[in-house]
Amino acid sequence: AVRLDEVYKENNNIKLQIDVHRNSAESNGQKYGPTIEVNGIKYAQISFVIGLDWDTSTGDRNDKTNPYWEDNFKLCMLIIEKLEEKVPGICRQIELRRTPYNQGYAENSLLTEIGFAGNLSTEADATARLFADVLTDIYG
């Protein structure tokens, strides 16, 4: 979080913050890696995590913790709509969690999980490129 403070002090015109992960879930001890295939291309599924406005130290809601969560959720819904138009079934879920996951620094902050530990890098790469195309459509 210290580095994010520095970045936002140096750059007050950031329009989008994305924290990219892969999900490490397993199924019965096996690496999990669901895909969606469209036009011969296999895509890893993508999911999103929206951090809410809960203060993790007190356990109470606090608007200062993440005042942007509703706007982040709306952006996430727009992104999902556009991803699903291009590759139906690619979006797995939106998880709402109490922890803000650094999404309280600025508007338009997302945490996304592209694929699972069982996905091939080519599948995750195809999804990342599709995600980038959608972001270009929105912000281009």
Side-chain angles (χ1 to χ4, degrees):
V2 173
R3 180 67 183 131
L4 278 177
D5 285 335
E6 293 172 9
V7 168
Y8 278 101
K9 283 178 186 170
E10 295 169 8
N11 303 283
N12 60 1
N13 61 348
I14 294 173
K15 304 291 184 223
L16 179 65
Q17 171 185 298
I18 304 171
D19 188 358
V20 181
H21 294 255
R22 89 178 150 80
N23 195 316
S24 61
E26 294 183 358
S27 178
N28 296 324
Q30 298 294 315
K31 288 184 178 181
Y32 187 61
T35 60
I36 300 296
E37 188 169 345
V38 173
N39 297 326
I41 300 172
K42 285 189 176 182
Y43 296 89
Q45 287 187 307
I46 187 171
S47 61
F48 295 88
V49 175
I50 299 294
L52 300 176
D53 55 350
W54 291 82
D55 185 328
T56 54
S57 63
T58 65
D60 297 323
R61 292 189 76 171
N62 181 343
D63 289 341
K64 293 179 183 174
T65 304
N66 185 358
Y68 309 112
W69 81 266
E70 290 173 327
D71 291 327
N72 294 344
F73 184 80
K74 290 175 190 174
L75 173 61
C76 185
M77 291 300 295
L78 175 62
I79 291 169
I80 287 173
E81 179 182 341
K82 292 189 174 296
L83 284 167
E84 287 290 326
E85 286 173 2
K86 293 176 184 280
V87 178
I90 193 164
C91 296
R92 186 167 171 81
Q93 65 192 15
I94 299 175
E95 286 187 52
L96 301 177
R97 296 190 185 160
R98 287 184 174 194
T99 303
Y101 295 104
N102 297 323
Q103 294 174 11
Y105 279 88
E107 295 176 85
N108 304 320
S109 299
L110 299 175
L111 189 156
T112 184
E113 294 178 329
I114 297 178
F116 289 82
N119 284 110
L120 300 174
S121 60
T122 55
E123 297 162 351
D125 183 63
T127 301
R129 290 176 186 276
L130 181 69
F131 184 45
D133 288 345
V134 164
L135 292 175
T136 299
D137 291 346
I138 294 170
Y139 287 98

